[in-house]
Amino acid sequence: DVFTSPSSLSLVAGSTYLIEGRLYFLKTTAGTILWTNTFSSAPTLFIGESAQTAITGMAAATGATFTPLAVNYYAQGAASVASAATGSLTTAVNHCIFFRFTVTTNLACNWRLRATQSAGTITPLAGSYYTITEVYPSTGTFVA
């Protein structure tokens, strides 16, 4: 689990949440990462997006540009929602992933963000955070 204190967030039954965060990390050995959102009970709906720095790491403060790795998520009734694996991330450089998810629960459950790596480890860095906000669902009628 990426965030270890606490490693999971408790979500109330029949609610909608906005989960946002940014994880700065050091990749200790070159290799891929598979980001997975896991739930102790499958939510009714999970949608979101994430963007991660390029495989070469964060752009220098000199204004260098890079192409981020972007992922969009949409899942109904899935207890585990994963991104595609990244390319092999460069060793010993800082990386960052930003994520924004909306979760609608059926039953009470816990959410965790997991990083499965092909090699080495990641070290979370200062400045990393996540926030969770309970939001009121729309009063409109939408097709499931």
Side-chain angles (χ1 to χ4, degrees), residues 41-58:
S41 176
T44 303
L45 180 63
F46 175 86
I47 55 176
E49 61 190 343
S50 67
Q52 180 178 315
T53 51
I55 60 174
T56 54
M58 293 174 60

Side-chain angles (χ1 to χ4, degrees), residues 56-70:
T56 54
M58 293 174 60
T62 60
T65 60
F66 63 91
T67 302
L69 307 171

Side-chain angles (χ1 to χ4, degrees), residues 22-57:
R22 190 174 300 270
L23 174 66
Y24 297 98
F25 62 95
L26 172 68
K27 184 75 173 95
T28 59
T29 304
T32 64
I33 296 179
L34 177 69
W35 300 101
T36 306
N37 293 274
T38 62
F39 299 89
S40 57
S41 176
T44 303
L45 180 63
F46 175 86
I47 55 176
E49 61 190 343
S50 67
Q52 180 178 315
T53 51
I55 60 174
T56 54

Side-chain angles (χ1 to χ4, degrees), residues 79-97:
S80 178
V81 182
S83 68
T86 66
S88 185
L89 302 182
T90 302
T91 301
V93 297
N94 294 337
H95 296 271
C96 176
I97 182 170

Side-chain angles (χ1 to χ4, degrees), residues 113-126:
L113 179 62
R114 293 197 166 140
T116 305
Q117 300 162 76
S118 64
T121 60
I122 62 173
T123 303
L125 301 173

Side-chain angles (χ1 to χ4, degrees), residues 70-141:
V71 177
N72 289 296
Y73 304 84
Y74 186 95
Q76 292 179 326
S80 178
V81 182
S83 68
T86 66
S88 185
L89 302 182
T90 302
T91 301
V93 297
N94 294 337
H95 296 271
C96 176
I97 182 170
F98 165 79
F99 54 89
R100 179 183 304 131
F101 307 127
T102 302
V103 180
T104 301
T105 61
N106 179 27
L107 303 173
C109 63
N110 292 323
W111 167 81
R112 289 179 173 85
L113 179 62
R114 293 197 166 140
T116 305
Q117 300 162 76
S118 64
T121 60
I122 62 173
T123 303
L125 301 173
S128 299
Y129 70 91
Y130 65 87
T131 62
I132 181 168
T133 306
E134 186 174 5
V135 295
Y136 291 98
S138 170
T139 57
T141 302

